[in-house]
């Protein structure tokens, strides 16, 4: 007798008359009783979040949902203009743009803070002075290595990202202000001493710190940013249906392009390129 393969899962499973999800009856125990943010956390962590964790997690989702005419929003609208029969293509195009400059900072910052904490000898600091000392050491090391600090700086909110203090406040209210947020806040306090200027702690970075403090997998932090942005991109498409701008964006580029002479590619001595 041939043994059938087994594929264990704690997620969704269906039988003739029922659907289970995370060990619960989907229709009776989840639908109408569990909010989508809570469910998204539960699916990733495979444990049900506390009300406080749900509040912090949903605050992160709200913070990352939409930032106006960012590249991800513009490409979603343009893709829908080109292929209105493929809304999934328009959404996918926007999500594929979630990288190191937009959205990806959430994961980059969470991983960066985690690595600093993992490399720290002994227990985490117990007061602001201790956190400031660790942050100062961290910023100096990054400066010496000529590397940016993820989550530090913003191209618009140069005097302070309004999302950052609000998320720090919510985490503190829920007693979820953990080591990642503590280190991130300390970096915000001490970095001018090293860099010679004050930069804002941005919203994407504080979201990464908050998600890491919730104990969610570091490998999925960008996924949560993309989950949030999916809602925003649906909103962008809904607005495009009512007040379309994609064709105007397209024509602005198409009607204002100018012909120039070709510039043959030539690698430089460092392995890069120049025209």
């Amino acid at each position: 007798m041939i043994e059938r393969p087994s594929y264990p899962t704690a997620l969704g499973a269906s039988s003739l008359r029922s659907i289970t999800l995370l060990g619960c009856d989907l229709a009776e125990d989840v639908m109408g009783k569990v909010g989508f943010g809570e469910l998204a956390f539960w699916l990733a962590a495979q444990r049900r979040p506390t009300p406080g964790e749900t509040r912090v997690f949903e605050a992160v989702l709200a913070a990352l949902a939409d930032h106006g005419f960012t590249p991800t929003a513009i490409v979603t609208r343009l893709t829908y203009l080109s292929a209105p029969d493929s809304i999934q293509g328009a959404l996918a195009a926007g999500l594929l743009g979630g990288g190191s400059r937009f959205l990806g900072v959430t994961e980059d910052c969470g991983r960066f803070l985690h690595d600093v904490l993992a490399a720290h000898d002994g227990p985490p600091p117990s007061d602001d002075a201790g956190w400031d000392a660790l942050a100062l050491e961290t910023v100096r090391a990054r400066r010496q290595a000529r590397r940016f600090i993820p989550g530090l700086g913003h191209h618009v909110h140069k005097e302070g990202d309004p999302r950052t203090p609000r998320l720090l406040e919510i985490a503190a209210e829920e007693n979820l202000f953990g080591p990642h947020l503590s280190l991130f806040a300390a970096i915000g306090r001490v970095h001018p001493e090293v860099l010679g200027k004050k930069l804002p702690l941005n919203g994407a970075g504080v979201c990464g710190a908050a998600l890491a403090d919730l104990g969610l997998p570091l490998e999925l932090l960008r996924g949560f940013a993309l989950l949030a942005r999916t809602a925003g991109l649906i909103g962008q498409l809904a607005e495009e249906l009512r007040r379309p701008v994609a064709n105007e964006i397209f024509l602005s580029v198409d009607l204002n392009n100018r012909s120039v002479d070709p510039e043959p590619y030539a690698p430089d001595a460092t392995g890069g390129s120049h025209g």
Side-chain angles (χ1 to χ4, degrees):
M1 182 176 180
I2 299 177
E3 183 177 350
R4 293 184 178 182
S6 175
Y7 304 101
T9 177
L11 303 178
S14 301
S15 64
L16 179 62
R17 295 184 177 85
S18 68
I19 303 173
T20 59
L21 181 63
L22 297 161
C24 300
D25 185 283
L26 176 63
E28 296 298 324
D29 301 327
V30 179
M31 295 172 62
K33 297 180 180 179
V34 179
F36 182 70
E38 180 181 1
L39 181 61
F41 186 112
W42 197 352
L43 286 167
Q46 296 206 4
R47 66 173 180 84
R48 191 166 186 174
T50 66
E53 289 174 327
T54 299
R55 184 180 179 222
V56 172
F57 182 70
E58 291 186 344
V60 167
L61 296 183
L64 298 175
D66 183 75
H67 295 163
F69 286 113
T70 59
T72 58
I74 293 171
V75 74
T76 290
R77 291 191 184 227
L78 289 174
T79 303
Y80 184 75
L81 172 69
S82 180
D85 52 312
S86 177
I87 189 172
Q88 69 272 24
L91 290 173
L95 294 177
L96 289 171
S100 58
R101 293 185 178 178
F102 290 87
L103 292 175
V105 175
T106 298
E107 179 179 322
D108 295 342
C109 187
R111 284 180 173 272
F112 163 70
L113 297 170
H114 174 80
D115 290 345
V116 172
L117 292 168
H120 176 66
D121 291 331
S126 57
D127 55 23
D128 283 352
W131 284 114
D132 286 357
L134 177 58
L136 196 59
E137 177 186 337
T138 301
V139 176
R140 283 173 174 160
R142 297 290 285 194
R143 179 65 179 269
Q144 185 175 8
R146 296 185 178 182
R147 300 185 65 185
F148 293 113
I149 297 173
L152 188 60
H154 196 282
H155 68 289
V156 174
H157 303 299
K158 297 184 181 300
E159 296 181 357
D161 191 321
R163 297 169 295 174
T164 301
R166 180 57 180 148
L167 189 53
L168 293 173
E169 179 183 36
I170 292 171
E173 289 172 354
E174 300 298 339
N175 293 316
L176 292 169
F177 203 106
H180 299 86
L181 284 172
S182 295
L183 177 57
F184 191 61
I187 288 172
R189 293 191 296 267
V190 307
H191 75 269
E193 181 178 337
V194 179
L195 303 184
K197 58 182 177 180
K198 184 173 179 59
L199 298 172
L201 296 174
N202 63 53
V206 75
C207 285
L211 292 173
D213 273 345
L214 290 176
L216 292 164
L218 296 175
E219 296 84 357
L220 298 182
L221 297 192
R222 187 174 301 186
F224 298 121
L226 295 174
L227 172 66
R229 187 52 55 89
T230 299
L233 295 180
I234 291 173
Q236 291 285 335
L237 290 176
E239 188 172 78
E240 181 68 19
L241 292 172
R242 298 190 305 273
R243 292 192 294 274
V245 299
N247 194 56
E248 184 176 344
I249 294 172
F250 157 62
L251 291 176
S252 177
V253 176
D254 186 54
L255 298 178
N256 292 286
N257 69 75
R258 60 187 181 88
S259 181
V260 298
D261 293 334
E263 296 183 15
Y265 169 82
D268 61 25
T270 62
S273 65
H274 60 270

